[in-house]
Amino acid sequence: MVAVDIARAVTDYQGVDEFPGLPKAWRWSPIPVFVFSLAVDAEGSRAYQVNTRDNFDEGLVRAVLEFSREHRIGEGRESEPFTVLPGFTYGSYGFDSVAAVPPAVHRYHIGRNEALNDVVTAVFPAYRCEFSGTETLDEAEYRFRHMLRPATMSRPPVPYLRMRYENTKTAGDSIGPDRGFTTHDVLLRELDLLDGAPGSFVEFENLHGEVWKVEWDGSWVVNGVRQEAPLSEDWIMASLGCTS
């Protein structure tokens, strides 16, 4: 890998300012809704970047960059689609981790400076329940780009969730025999639609590979055990590993 002068590469962008209170770090806003922030590691050979959309919080971004730099998150693990380090907290936010993705996933500088892209690790505040550690590169890219909304600092957890279902009343079902990625609001909707639909089921999997099959037989039946009350959202989130 050719050495990159990261400071020069970043400051070549228009409107770049030093990041307040953080040495060897900069931020810039290519359009009003986005703010990009980057900090060089201690050796000066790699960098961490946080992108935010709509709700830039300088303190939170600084904390993520400092945490990433201190723990050298993702260093030497470029082949892993997600690197997740628990133990991060900031203010009233509910985040409990910082996640990192390699250049092949984030592609932040592709089309502008490929050499810089190759030495940048994208980092963002996250929730541990969002990752299994078994994601393929394609799965990580899909979730990073289309599900997790890593640039939204106010976001709730998007738990790791695979699901398949079939509903005899709505005639809705998933495609194929495998569980696919979805969001917990879809899971909640399909569980609610089981009511009064005998022969229907919803099957879902969490980050640990634990699987629940929920069916309707006059009441909800979970893995063969009849439930006396409807399944609550709290129970669902706890099953997915996301607890407050």
Side-chain angles (χ1 to χ4, degrees), residues 58-204:
E58 181 181 299
L60 175 61
V61 172
R62 182 187 297 108
V64 171
L65 290 172
E66 288 176 333
F67 186 90
S68 302
R69 179 186 277 172
E70 177 185 355
H71 295 280
R72 307 169 74 96
I73 189 169
E75 182 175 322
R77 303 173 70 176
E78 291 86 353
S79 62
E80 295 189 17
F82 287 123
T83 301
V84 184
L85 189 61
F88 175 82
T89 60
Y90 181 79
S92 61
Y93 291 92
F95 300 116
D96 58 22
S97 305
V98 168
V101 297
V105 173
H106 67 71
R107 300 172 61 84
Y108 279 169
H109 300 277
I110 293 297
R112 296 183 294 273
N113 190 327
E114 280 76 5
L116 177 61
N117 190 80
D118 288 343
V119 297
V120 168
T121 297
V123 292
F124 58 98
Y127 303 88
R128 182 64 189 88
C129 65
E130 296 177 318
F131 312 94
S132 74
T134 63
E135 295 89 349
T136 66
L137 187 66
D138 287 344
E139 289 171 345
E141 184 171 355
Y142 175 77
R143 297 198 71 229
F144 180 75
R145 294 181 179 277
H146 303 291
M147 296 185 72
L148 292 174
R149 299 186 298 137
T152 302
M153 300 293 101
S154 59
R155 68 187 185 89
V158 183
Y160 181 96
L161 166 61
R162 291 180 181 270
M163 184 182 84
R164 70 184 187 99
Y165 70 98
E166 182 176 336
N167 191 292
T168 59
K169 184 170 64 175
T170 67
D173 61 13
S174 50
I175 300 174
D178 299 325
R179 292 181 289 273
F181 284 116
T182 190
T183 52
H184 86 284
D185 60 319
V186 175
L187 172 60
L188 291 170
R189 182 191 71 207
E190 291 303 326
L191 288 173
D192 186 60
L193 289 172
L194 287 179
D195 191 346
S200 304
F201 74 89
V202 173
E203 184 180 87
F204 66 96

Side-chain angles (χ1 to χ4, degrees), residues 10-11 22 28 39 49 89 121 135 144 159 202 206 227 237 244:
V10 172
T11 54
L22 193 61
W28 65 103
Q49 183 169 329
T89 60
T121 297
E135 295 89 349
F144 180 75
V202 173
N206 71 4
Q227 307 297 304
M237 293 301 285
S244 57

